[in-house]
Amino acid sequence: MTKEQKLQYIFGAIKKAYPNRKLVFNDGSPDMPVMIIGEAPGKDEEIQGKPFVGRGGKLLNSTLETLGWKRSDFYVTNVVKYRPSDEFGGNRTPTPEEIEKFRLALEKEIEAINPKLIVILGKVAMSGLGIEGSMGANRGQVIERNGRKIIVTYHPAAILRNPNWEPQFCEDLAKIKELI
Ligand code: URA
């Protein structure tokens, strides 16, 4: 099976499990060595059908561009593939059960892409990969797992809320070049 076929198969299984949900799967290139994993789509992503296209996505793109990358240099996905919404229709953080339900599909997606480096954005994506501990304990470290390197950094939405964390976010993403 080609990478595209494997991804189609995984997406087909997710669709079967969530037939009534609007799903957002991936963006970028499956052939690139770096996989970026976020939390879950928000409203903008649900509308456009692509991960990280809203305010957080724009911040991610501009930070990557400052470092000399373009979005298409990466494969981009989320742990949860539908938009978790609250009773008022707003975005909410995925529950531990939702994260757990997507865990196997995410593992298969990682196997299909076979990236050299995984960049984890935020705590939900950390949980999606079973990485324990706080953001503070993990960010800035290079984690080795199944022959792949993993780095953890803040979620772009956290940077929008706390702009004073932006230098660390930039510093973490700058490591991509050294690690591939
Ligand atoms: N936040 C995420 O974690 N992922 C998206 O796709 C958009 C916002």
Side-chain angles (χ1 to χ4, degrees), residues 77-153:
T77 193
N78 282 306
V79 176
V80 171
K81 311 297 199 224
Y82 59 75
R83 178 170 79 91
S85 58
D86 61 23
E87 72 257 48
F88 307 109
N91 298 340
R92 67 166 168 78
T93 304
T95 62
E97 292 73 27
E98 286 174 314
I99 297 168
E100 190 54 40
K101 281 191 182 145
F102 276 95
R103 187 115 170 230
L104 182 62
L106 182 64
E107 271 169 27
K108 296 279 171 211
E109 193 178 357
I110 294 170
E111 272 171 36
I113 298 298
N114 195 20
K116 264 174 113 167
L117 173 69
I118 298 175
V119 179
I120 300 228
L121 302 179
K123 277 221 68 147
V124 166
M126 269 173 58
S127 308
L129 266 85
I131 296 172
E132 285 171 7
S134 63
M135 173 60 60
N138 284 289
R139 79 151 278 280
Q141 314 288 324
V142 180
I143 301 163
E144 294 264 353
R145 189 185 294 170
N146 302 330
R148 295 182 223 289
K149 294 186 170 77
I150 302 175
I151 53 170
V152 173
T153 191

Side-chain angles (χ1 to χ4, degrees), residues 24 37-42 45 50-54 56-57 76-78 121 155-157:
V24 176
I37 306 180
E39 176 177 316
E45 287 75 23
K50 279 186 189 177
F52 285 109
V53 293
V76 185
T77 193
N78 282 306
L121 302 179
H155 190 281

Side-chain angles (χ1 to χ4, degrees), residues 27-34 36 50 61 64-65 68-76:
D27 192 27
S29 167
D31 295 316
M32 292 300 173
V34 186
I36 297 180
K50 279 186 189 177
N61 292 351
L64 291 171
E65 277 161 23
W69 299 103
K70 16 182 221 321
R71 169 76 171 239
S72 54
D73 291 327
F74 304 95
Y75 176 85
V76 185

